Amino acid sequence: MAYEWEKGFTIDFDKNTGMSKTAKSTKRLLSQMKNMYADAAAEAELIKNGDPLVYEFYELGAPEYAGDLAAGTSIVYPGKVGDEYFMTKGHFHTILETAETYYTLSGEGYMLMENPEGDWQAAKLEPGKMVYVPKRYAHRSINTGTTPLVTFFTFRGDAGHDYGTIEEKGYRKLIVEKDGKPEVIDNPKWK
Ligand code: NI
């Protein structure tokens, strides 16, 4: 459907599932996240046995000008690759100096952030709370729970997505399950 950007418009998002009846989501299967998980054997096995849907998001194609806002929902499904929780690819913004907010609608997890200088932080994602991702920080949401992790995001319309840096270098840190709990560890594959 076409949105009337100049006039304003209304769009539906379910407040628990994040799903929209009118917008269309972009889906990411595990096979579309090649080499992003530390355990390559577990990744290959899962892809062979049905290639699970790891996450999907609603992106509305807002005009890409500084005065516009892009917004939508992200849904990360529960699951693990080896002991590493299902997560989004993660990205920097092409315009590095742009921030983003993520309000959690349901589920639980972490927003893992790191900047080019190597500073990082893991902020808890929980319903009713908003995480502010500062400018210059790559961001990835990670589902450490047993139900879908659903967030609502907003960022500057012209920010753009740089997925390539993370695809090449990976993240400095990973979140894995250890003794039944999430734990932040160094990424052995980080370049
Ligand atoms: Ni972003």
Side-chain angles (χ1 to χ4, degrees):
M1 70 176 276
Y3 300 108
E4 298 201 60
W5 304 107
E6 305 299 328
K7 293 184 185 166
F9 63 95
T10 299
I11 179 169
D12 67 291
F13 289 108
D14 184 276
K15 67 184 192 294
N16 293 309
T17 66
M19 299 288 186
S20 174
K21 291 189 193 84
T22 48
K24 219 177 146 222
S25 75
T26 302
K27 292 178 165 62
R28 294 273 185 254
L29 303 172
L30 183 57
S31 60
Q32 295 170 299
M33 301 179 74
K34 272 269 176 223
N35 299 317
M36 295 196 122
Y37 292 89
D39 188 337
E43 181 187 274
E45 189 66 17
L46 280 168
I47 292 171
K48 204 176 79 184
N49 294 326
D51 195 10
L53 175 64
V54 178
Y55 67 101
E56 59 186 306
F57 56 95
Y58 289 93
E59 203 180 39
L60 304 179
E64 297 185 351
Y65 296 103
D68 285 299
L69 289 173
T73 55
S74 160
I75 301 143
V76 185
Y77 291 98
K80 279 182 296 180
V81 179
D83 58 4
E84 192 176 2
Y85 298 100
F86 275 12
M87 61 188 183
T88 61
K89 284 185 170 188
H91 59 268
F92 285 97
H93 289 161
T94 310
I95 301 176
L96 203 53
E97 307 290 324
T98 54
E100 184 157 352
T101 59
Y102 281 83
Y103 179 79
T104 303
L105 298 173
S106 59
E108 61 178 282
Y110 286 88
M111 180 62 71
L112 189 58
M113 299 172 260
E114 65 175 49
N115 71 6
E117 290 72 39
D119 184 49
W120 66 273
Q121 54 178 304
K124 188 106 182 75
L125 292 170
E126 49 193 324
K129 291 192 181 169
M130 188 190 85
V131 168
Y132 186 84
V133 177
K135 54 194 178 186
R136 301 184 61 76
Y137 279 74
H139 35 290
R140 154 182 286 171
S141 27
I142 300 169
N143 186 345
T144 58
T146 54
T147 59
L149 170 64
V150 184
T151 52
F152 183 87
F153 58 81
T154 307
F155 60 95
R156 209 173 89 179
D158 64 338
H161 292 92
D162 164 18
Y163 289 104
T165 305
I166 299 295
E167 280 168 355
E168 259 171 56
K169 294 171 67 77
Y171 256 73
R172 285 175 168 80
K173 300 288 174 183
L174 303 178
I175 299 189
V176 298
E177 187 180 86
K178 204 172 170 207
D179 304 324
K181 281 193 204 140
E183 189 173 299
V184 180
I185 61 164
D186 288 331
N187 180 3
K189 282 181 163 178
W190 186 75
K191 293 175 207 161

